[in-house]
Amino acid sequence: MPPFPIDRYLLPETPIEVPDGFTEIRQSLTAGLPHRVELGAGVHAVLILPTGLARQWLDTDPLAVVSTSADDLAPRPAPPTTPRPPALVGRVPLRLVVRQGTRILGSVPLAAGLRRVCPDADPSASAGPSASAGAVAVELVVLSWLLHAGTVRGSGDYGSTVTLAWRPADRAVDRFGPPPINEFVWRRRPPAQRVESELGPGRLRYRYLLDKKLRRVLR
């Protein structure tokens, strides 16, 4: 059975390993943020934390943990038996801005195990297929990170690190699935034999035919 289409969006259940063909890079964040990571092929990534709250970091213990990949890999607690109102998101928005010179190829949020190609070659993107013309494509994997408050404030060795893996995105994909379902064919199936869901701001739709045991993607 082919992998479920949203597998690439899910967090890993085990410690993250460097995929074959990728180069691992581990750096200490001693110069503060933003921090530049040289990847190769004229491409680099810049680790940034947009907060706009300078006084908050001045009053915080320099060794206080701001963000860590361990939170993504920790076991999830059991859901509460009684519903609770939604809480505000407390996770800081750490991101990697991937650039070729001064040209921005993409923005990658820090999530343990996230694998992303920059620039995104999806022709349905708002920028259009011409946005990546002439750009060097790279594939990134976020392995781990640890960020302390002192690093957000400025330079110094506070034990903050970031570990990535990368490779030139010049090879074809190594995973294949069934072709997309034609929308008209899918709608002719009985309602009990089809499932549909939507993901993300672009409302990527996934359609699943229960009778054939095949998951198909329809954009």
Side-chain angles (χ1 to χ4, degrees):
M1 180 179 294
F4 195 67
I6 66 169
D7 277 350
R8 64 183 183 273
Y9 296 103
L10 303 179
L11 295 177
E13 296 289 344
T14 58
I16 306 164
E17 298 180 355
V18 180
D20 293 338
F22 282 74
T23 301
E24 181 178 355
I25 300 176
R26 185 181 187 276
Q27 292 189 355
S28 298
L29 310 180
T30 56
L33 295 181
H35 177 81
R36 176 168 171 151
V37 180
E38 295 291 343
L39 300 178
V43 179
H44 65 274
V46 180
L47 180 63
I48 61 172
L49 175 60
T51 64
L53 303 173
R55 183 170 296 278
Q56 170 187 343
W57 304 114
L58 294 175
D59 297 337
T60 304
D61 181 357
L63 297 181
V65 176
V66 176
S67 179
T68 174
S69 56
D71 293 339
D72 284 352
L73 302 176
R76 304 299 196 271
T81 56
T82 57
R84 295 182 297 181
L88 295 177
V89 176
R91 181 166 177 154
V92 295
L94 271 173
R95 305 190 72 82
L96 285 165
V97 178
V98 183
R99 304 195 302 182
Q100 179 184 0
T102 59
R103 180 180 189 175
I104 296 178
L105 302 181
S107 179
V108 181
L110 254 65
L114 179 65
R115 188 166 169 173
R116 183 70 57 82
V117 175
C118 295
D120 186 356
D122 182 5
S124 65
S126 59
S130 61
S132 59
V136 176
V138 297
E139 187 172 7
L140 286 180
V141 179
V142 180
L143 298 176
S144 65
W145 72 91
L146 175 61
L147 180 65
H148 291 97
T151 304
V152 181
R153 287 163 43 173
S155 60
D157 189 358
Y158 299 100
S160 301
T161 61
V162 62
T163 306
L164 311 170
W166 81 281
R167 71 173 180 180
D170 54 0
R171 287 183 255 173
V173 298
D174 53 3
R175 297 181 183 178
F176 301 91
I181 302 172
N182 183 282
E183 179 177 0
F184 299 101
V185 173
W186 185 85
R187 293 191 180 278
R188 292 179 63 182
R189 305 300 300 177
Q193 296 180 357
R194 64 192 191 196
V195 177
E196 181 177 23
S197 61
E198 296 181 349
L199 292 176
R203 303 183 71 82
L204 182 62
R205 291 180 294 176
Y206 290 95
R207 289 177 173 170
Y208 177 20
L209 286 181
L210 298 176
D211 60 336
K212 294 185 178 181
K213 303 297 183 183
L214 291 177
R215 300 176 174 95
R216 309 287 184 91
V217 182
L218 176 64
R219 293 184 181 272

